[in-house]
Amino acid sequence: MKEDFFQRVYEIVKQIPEGRVTSYGAIAKAIGAGRSARIVGYAMNASHYLEDVPAHRVVNRNGVLTGKHHFEGTNLMQQLLENEGIEVVNNQIVDFKKHYWEPEIK
DNA sequence: TATGTGACATCAA
DNA sequence: CTTGATGCCACAT
């Protein structure tokens, strides 16, 4: 049963609890791809077609909202995160380690 | 089959 | 600190 790589990514992202965030690399690792962090971002881009994928909870390794430009406004992603209790300053998540959520490795 | 792409990660200067 | 280059790999065409 080979599901699309994207599908795997979506499964992980959907499991992210509210008020938590994770990194592309971590997701890739959880899936087993390991070095396919970029593909995760690619999947997020495609996730725009879906509404079940909280892409705003996924950031890069530094906790920076690199993909905010892909959302409608320039601050929508930040707003969503702040709405969940995550502090974001200058596209950077405050205390990233604190809010970091490690995906379950399947 | 080949080429281009990218919301990353990591290192060098 | 910032910038650039490189590796990486699945997807779209």
Side-chain angles (χ1 to χ4, degrees):
Chain A
M1 293 292 297
K2 297 182 187 174
E3 298 185 12
D4 288 336
F5 191 93
F6 283 20
Q7 198 61 40
R8 291 282 197 86
V9 175
Y10 299 147
E11 282 187 40
I12 299 293
V13 176
K14 286 179 187 175
Q15 292 177 29
I16 302 176
E18 289 187 5
R20 295 284 192 178
V21 289
T22 189
S23 66
Y24 298 94
I27 294 173
K29 187 178 180 182
I31 295 172
R35 302 162 178 171
S36 305
R38 312 186 69 170
I39 317 303
V40 177
Y42 203 92
M44 292 296 99
N45 188 23
S47 74
H48 276 274
Y49 294 92
L50 309 174
E51 296 183 354
D52 298 331
V53 183
H56 61 276
R57 297 195 186 127
V58 184
V59 294
N60 69 352
R61 196 64 175 164
N62 297 317
V64 181
L65 310 187
T66 51
K68 70 176 293 182
H69 286 292
H70 289 258
F71 285 81
E72 296 209 2
T74 51
N75 57 344
L76 176 59
M77 187 173 185
Q78 178 174 337
Q79 289 245 320
L80 290 172
L81 291 174
E82 289 180 343
N83 189 31
E84 296 184 358
I86 299 176
E87 302 176 70
V88 179
V89 176
N90 194 16
N91 301 339
Q92 167 97 31
I93 294 179
V94 181
D95 292 330
F96 178 59
K97 301 188 297 186
K98 215 172 188 177
H99 298 290
Y100 183 78
W101 175 81
E102 187 175 349
E104 296 181 6
I105 300 177
K106 306 179 69 174

